[in-house]
Amino acid sequence: MADLVLLKGSFRRHGLTEEECQTEAFFMFVAGSETTASALRIILLYLIATPTAYHRLKMEARNAIKHGRVSSPITAAEGRELQYLQVSLRFCVTF
């Protein structure tokens, strides 16, 4: 939330009206959503095209659930602890 306040302050200092600030924020939200969607598409395509990677990721998730290392739904902090998930994500976003 603090980042939004700083961003709006920056917009205002550069002469944008309240309405222009709202419009810019909307476009930034849409652009961020598209970036996220693109990253998810790449990750899913990689997993579909690479059965060994999909199997390994699935096994990591199942083991984490079995041993109580993740909750349902999994949190971001728990996901950061899943090593193969993190490697897969980093690999996919390099494309």
Side-chain angles (χ1 to χ4, degrees):
M1 186 63 151
D3 290 340
L4 293 175
V5 172
L6 292 174
L7 186 60
K8 182 180 176 185
S10 175
F11 286 161
R12 297 294 293 196
R13 282 191 302 280
H14 287 88
L16 275 71
T17 66
E18 183 69 26
E19 185 177 342
E20 290 169 328
C21 289
Q22 291 174 359
T23 301
E24 286 297 316
F26 172 76
F27 284 120
M28 291 177 76
F29 174 77
V30 171
S33 297
E34 180 59 31
T35 302
T36 301
S38 294
L40 290 172
R41 276 193 299 273
I42 291 168
I43 292 164
L44 291 174
L45 178 62
Y46 167 71
L47 291 173
I48 290 168
T50 317
T52 55
Y54 172 72
H55 177 72
R56 186 166 174 191
L57 184 59
K58 184 169 65 170
M59 293 309 298
E60 180 181 52
R62 284 184 176 171
N63 285 332
I65 292 166
K66 180 179 178 182
H67 292 86
R69 294 193 318 263
V70 297
S71 58
S72 181
I74 189 170
T75 66
E78 292 166 342
R80 284 190 290 275
E81 298 299 319
L82 298 178
Q83 205 168 32
Y84 193 75
L85 173 63
Q86 292 303 307
V87 169
S88 297
L89 293 173
R90 286 188 192 105
F91 176 77
C92 290
V93 297
T94 60
F95 284 100

